[in-house]
Amino acid sequence: MVVVLRPWSVDDAPALLLARRTTPDLDSQFPDAELRDEAQTREHISRFLGFDDRAKNWAVVDDGVAVGNVGLTAIEFRHGTAWASYWLARGGRGRGLATTALASVSSWAFGVGLFRLELGHRVNNPASCRVATAAGFAAEGIERQRLRYGV
Protein backbone atom coordinates (compact mmCIF):
# COMPACT_ATOMS: atom_id res chain seq x y z
CA MET A 1 0.00 0.00 0.00
CA VAL A 2 1.14 3.51 -0.78
CA VAL A 3 0.28 6.27 1.65
CA VAL A 4 0.68 9.99 1.07
CA LEU A 5 2.31 11.89 3.93
CA ARG A 6 3.00 15.62 4.01
CA PRO A 7 3.32 18.40 6.57
CA TRP A 8 0.04 19.88 7.78
CA SER A 9 -1.15 23.15 6.30
CA VAL A 10 -3.67 25.62 7.68
CA ASP A 11 -5.60 24.78 4.51
CA ASP A 12 -6.28 21.38 6.13
CA ALA A 13 -8.47 23.04 8.76
CA PRO A 14 -11.79 21.89 7.22
CA ALA A 15 -10.55 18.28 7.09
CA LEU A 16 -9.30 18.37 10.69
CA LEU A 17 -12.52 19.97 11.86
CA LEU A 18 -14.54 17.25 10.09
CA ALA A 19 -12.32 14.52 11.55
CA ARG A 20 -12.81 15.90 15.04
CA ARG A 21 -16.59 16.18 14.63
CA THR A 22 -17.11 12.72 13.13
CA THR A 23 -14.75 10.70 15.32
CA PRO A 24 -15.69 11.04 19.00
CA ASP A 25 -12.87 8.81 20.23
CA LEU A 26 -10.39 11.48 19.09
CA ASP A 27 -11.32 13.43 22.23
CA SER A 28 -8.21 12.02 23.87
CA GLN A 29 -6.04 13.34 21.01
CA PHE A 30 -7.35 16.88 21.42
CA PRO A 31 -8.20 17.18 25.12
CA ASP A 32 -7.65 20.91 25.46
CA ALA A 33 -8.11 22.00 21.87
CA GLU A 34 -10.87 24.38 20.93
CA LEU A 35 -11.78 23.01 17.52
CA ARG A 36 -15.24 24.49 17.04
CA ASP A 37 -14.60 26.43 13.84
CA GLU A 38 -12.06 26.79 11.07
CA ALA A 39 -10.23 29.72 12.69
CA GLN A 40 -9.60 27.75 15.89
CA THR A 41 -8.59 24.72 13.87
CA ARG A 42 -6.11 26.73 11.79
CA GLU A 43 -4.59 28.02 15.04
CA HIS A 44 -4.33 24.45 16.35
CA ILE A 45 -2.56 23.30 13.20
CA SER A 46 -0.12 26.22 13.42
CA ARG A 47 0.66 25.70 17.10
CA PHE A 48 0.51 21.94 17.59
CA LEU A 49 0.98 20.16 14.28
CA GLY A 50 4.32 21.65 13.42
CA PHE A 51 7.15 20.38 11.32
CA ASP A 52 10.53 21.44 12.71
CA ASP A 53 13.67 20.04 14.35
CA ARG A 54 11.91 18.87 17.54
CA ALA A 55 8.55 17.75 16.15
CA LYS A 56 7.41 16.49 12.80
CA ASN A 57 3.72 15.92 12.13
CA TRP A 58 2.69 14.45 8.83
CA ALA A 59 -0.88 14.59 7.58
CA VAL A 60 -2.04 11.19 6.39
CA VAL A 61 -3.73 12.02 3.11
CA ASP A 62 -6.42 9.93 1.47
CA ASP A 63 -7.77 11.03 -1.91
CA GLY A 64 -6.35 14.51 -1.38
CA VAL A 65 -7.84 14.98 2.11
CA ALA A 66 -6.02 14.83 5.46
CA VAL A 67 -7.61 11.98 7.42
CA GLY A 68 -5.06 11.54 10.17
CA ASN A 69 -1.69 12.31 11.65
CA VAL A 70 1.52 10.44 12.26
CA GLY A 71 4.06 12.33 14.27
CA LEU A 72 7.44 12.28 15.89
CA THR A 73 7.85 14.57 18.87
CA ALA A 74 10.54 15.14 21.46
CA ILE A 75 13.05 14.48 18.68
CA GLU A 76 16.46 14.45 20.32
CA PHE A 77 19.52 13.72 18.20
CA ARG A 78 22.08 13.61 21.02
CA HIS A 79 20.67 10.27 22.16
CA GLY A 80 18.82 9.57 18.93
CA THR A 81 15.31 9.30 20.34
CA ALA A 82 11.79 10.44 19.55
CA TRP A 83 8.19 9.72 20.56
CA ALA A 84 5.90 8.35 17.84
CA SER A 85 2.15 8.88 17.72
CA TYR A 86 -0.69 8.53 15.27
CA TRP A 87 -4.42 8.88 14.85
CA LEU A 88 -6.92 8.47 12.05
CA ALA A 89 -10.41 9.82 11.59
CA ARG A 90 -13.16 7.26 11.24
CA GLY A 91 -13.18 7.52 7.44
CA GLY A 92 -9.51 6.55 7.17
CA ARG A 93 -9.62 3.51 9.40
CA GLY A 94 -9.53 -0.17 8.57
CA ARG A 95 -7.43 0.03 5.41
CA GLY A 96 -3.88 -0.08 6.74
CA LEU A 97 -3.22 3.65 6.42
CA ALA A 98 -2.02 4.08 9.99
CA THR A 99 0.28 1.05 9.87
CA THR A 100 1.80 2.07 6.55
CA ALA A 101 2.21 5.69 7.66
CA LEU A 102 3.81 4.71 10.97
CA ALA A 103 6.19 2.25 9.30
CA SER A 104 7.16 4.88 6.72
CA VAL A 105 7.85 7.55 9.32
CA SER A 106 9.81 5.06 11.43
CA SER A 107 11.94 4.13 8.44
CA TRP A 108 12.56 7.82 7.75
CA ALA A 109 13.55 8.38 11.40
CA PHE A 110 16.10 5.59 11.44
CA GLY A 111 17.39 6.79 8.07
CA VAL A 112 18.20 10.23 9.49
CA GLY A 113 20.07 8.79 12.44
CA LEU A 114 17.59 8.21 15.22
CA PHE A 115 18.38 5.18 17.37
CA ARG A 116 15.14 4.56 19.27
CA LEU A 117 11.50 5.43 18.78
CA GLU A 118 9.09 5.13 21.68
CA LEU A 119 5.37 4.75 21.31
CA GLY A 120 2.60 4.36 23.82
CA HIS A 121 -1.01 3.41 23.36
CA ARG A 122 -3.84 3.09 25.80
CA VAL A 123 -4.39 -0.47 27.01
CA ASN A 124 -8.08 -0.14 26.15
CA ASN A 125 -7.25 0.54 22.49
CA PRO A 126 -6.43 -2.83 20.88
CA ALA A 127 -6.63 -1.35 17.35
CA SER A 128 -3.77 1.02 18.19
CA CYS A 129 -1.79 -1.92 19.57
CA ARG A 130 -2.29 -3.79 16.28
CA VAL A 131 -1.06 -0.76 14.31
CA ALA A 132 2.07 -0.44 16.44
CA THR A 133 2.85 -4.16 16.28
CA ALA A 134 2.25 -4.37 12.52
CA ALA A 135 4.55 -1.36 12.01
CA GLY A 136 7.36 -3.17 13.85
CA PHE A 137 7.14 -1.83 17.40
CA ALA A 138 7.79 -4.35 20.16
CA ALA A 139 5.79 -4.35 23.37
CA GLU A 140 8.06 -3.59 26.31
CA GLY A 141 5.56 -3.38 29.13
CA ILE A 142 2.86 -1.28 30.71
CA GLU A 143 3.69 2.13 32.11
CA ARG A 144 0.94 2.65 34.63
CA GLN A 145 -0.19 6.25 34.91
CA ARG A 146 2.48 7.32 32.36
CA LEU A 147 0.28 10.18 31.12
CA ARG A 148 -2.42 12.07 32.95
CA TYR A 149 -5.75 12.32 31.13
CA GLY A 150 -9.04 13.97 31.95
CA VAL A 151 -7.66 16.61 34.30
Side-chain angles (χ1 to χ4, degrees), residues 3-78:
V3 64
V4 175
L5 300 173
R6 61 163 171 74
W8 283 86
S9 162
V10 292
D11 295 336
D12 292 316
L16 180 55
L17 191 58
L18 179 64
R20 180 65 187 81
R21 287 180 176 163
T22 60
T23 313
D25 64 3
L26 289 181
D27 286 350
S28 60
Q29 298 297 329
F30 307 106
D32 300 320
E34 297 290 336
L35 301 179
R36 287 180 260 177
D37 59 38
E38 283 190 33
Q40 290 174 327
T41 307
R42 281 188 180 94
E43 176 69 18
H44 179 81
I45 290 169
S46 295
R47 292 185 66 209
F48 299 108
L49 293 176
F51 202 86
D52 58 34
D53 292 341
R54 298 268 304 137
K56 297 197 181 299
N57 287 282
W58 288 267
V60 179
V61 179
D62 184 37
D63 199 25
V65 177
V67 297
N69 182 73
V70 62
L72 295 177
T73 56
I75 299 170
E76 200 277 319
F77 279 97
R78 179 172 181 228

Side-chain angles (χ1 to χ4, degrees), residues 131-150:
V131 167
T133 301
F137 284 78
E140 293 184 347
I142 296 173
E143 294 181 297
R144 288 165 184 80
Q145 297 179 337
R146 165 74 161 76
L147 301 173
R148 183 168 57 178
Y149 292 103

Side-chain angles (χ1 to χ4, degrees), residues 88-108:
L88 282 180
R90 184 173 310 220
R93 295 178 181 178
R95 297 180 282 134
L97 290 173
T99 299
T100 303
L102 180 60
S104 295
V105 165
S106 298
S107 180
W108 174 86

